[in-house]
Amino acid sequence: DQQVKQNSPSLSVQEGRISILNCDYTNSMFDYFLWYKKYPAEGPTFLISISSIKDKNEDGRFTVFLNKSAKHLSLHIVPSQPGDSAVYFCAASWDDKIIFGKGTRLHILP
Amino acid sequence: SQTIHQWPATLVQPVGSPLSLECTVEGTSNPNLYWYRQAAGRGLQLLFYSIGIDQISSEVPQNLSASRPQDRQFILSSKKLLLSDSGFYLCAWSARRTGELFFGEGSRLTVL
């Protein structure tokens, strides 16, 4: 039973354009949502988070949007840069438990 | 500053052999500790988490076990490895319930 779903295994975006990564969840008890970035053979690194009581959080080139009624969140990266090429994981936390999606591989094209 | 270390970094083990992966955190006290596994096509799967010494929660039924003998030490074990235990194991810690995790370097386990 997948509580956090990332339905796009991969995404290709031209350098300088906007990258939009999507995530859906099923558990209404989640109180924080997070995005992590991962390179091969390394641990994920935290990017940005949002509380369930908010609908938007922005940090530099990264913005996370939360739509609670649709149980959907998205990560916007603008402008996309070559160093953004990585696997992005959506995660959700509730009661000390942190659940990850399967990830989306983002390719930034020159 | 806080640091997290896990070892060994790479492990090749035969089916049926035991396993012990160790993780330690420095620079913080009473952290929440987590073990995740990244297997092909499965994303990051939560295996165990711990909110205190000897307080372990298991998320996935399997032949793995976890122990937390000290506040900043988390151990992942198995008595008999299966082929399906192969994967990239990640230890992480968190100081808050907001979900911001700090990961170790990872341990690549190959079971043959």
Side-chain angles (χ1 to χ4, degrees):
Chain A
D1 177 29
Q2 224 183 322
Q3 298 186 62
V4 178
K5 300 178 186 178
Q6 293 177 259
N7 293 318
S8 299
S10 67
L11 174 70
S12 294
V13 175
Q14 209 76 36
E15 182 180 353
R17 305 292 290 268
I18 183 170
S19 295
I20 300 176
L21 298 146
N22 294 302
C23 179
D24 298 296
Y25 63 95
T26 58
N27 189 344
S28 299
M29 300 295 290
F30 288 136
D31 48 13
Y32 284 91
F33 301 90
L34 309 98
W35 286 93
Y36 286 79
K37 178 180 180 180
K38 186 181 183 300
Y39 294 116
E42 293 183 8
T45 54
F46 169 76
L47 273 179
I48 191 169
S49 65
I50 188 168
S51 163
S52 62
I53 62 173
K54 301 201 173 171
D55 54 22
K56 179 182 174 181
N57 187 26
E58 193 172 351
D59 184 2
R61 295 187 298 118
F62 303 93
T63 303
V64 57
F65 295 93
L66 176 62
N67 183 335
K68 284 188 71 177
S69 60
K71 292 192 172 72
H72 177 84
L73 65 152
S74 60
L75 173 68
H76 293 213
I77 306 173
V78 56
S80 299
Q81 298 175 354
D84 296 332
S85 292
V87 176
Y88 288 78
F89 288 97
C90 172
S93 72
W94 164 60
D95 200 21
D96 296 306
K97 199 184 302 186
I98 302 159
I99 306 295
F100 284 77
K102 288 189 176 182
T104 297
R105 183 175 298 279
L106 176 63
H107 300 271
I108 304 301
L109 307 171
Chain B
S1 63
Q2 301 89 359
T3 57
I4 179 169
H5 298 289
Q6 63 176 106
W7 66 93
T10 306
L11 203 57
V12 180
Q13 293 285 102
V15 169
S17 64
L19 170 74
S20 181
L21 299 178
E22 190 164 340
C23 173
T24 59
V25 180
E26 296 178 1
T28 187
S29 58
N30 197 30
N32 285 358
L33 296 173
Y34 301 81
W35 278 111
Y36 288 88
R37 176 172 62 201
Q38 185 180 19
R42 297 286 304 272
L44 281 172
Q45 185 183 30
L46 177 61
L47 302 175
F48 300 94
Y49 67 99
S50 169
I51 62 170
I53 293 175
D54 295 329
Q55 294 177 278
I56 312 290
S57 297
S58 173
E59 284 299 296
V60 181
Q62 58 210 332
N63 69 322
L64 298 173
S65 62
S67 61
R68 185 171 177 174
Q70 300 179 44
D71 180 45
R72 290 170 290 174
Q73 184 184 27
F74 207 22
I75 298 171
L76 183 69
S77 305
S78 174
K79 292 182 179 177
K80 287 186 177 183
L81 284 168
L82 306 172
L83 286 173
S84 57
D85 291 324
S86 294
F88 190 54
Y89 288 81
L90 287 155
C91 181
W93 74 275
S94 175
R96 303 173 290 173
R97 288 186 57 224
T98 58
E100 187 175 342
L101 290 170
F102 300 92
F103 284 86
E105 307 92 336
S107 300
R108 170 74 59 191
L109 171 65
T110 303
V111 182
L112 301 174

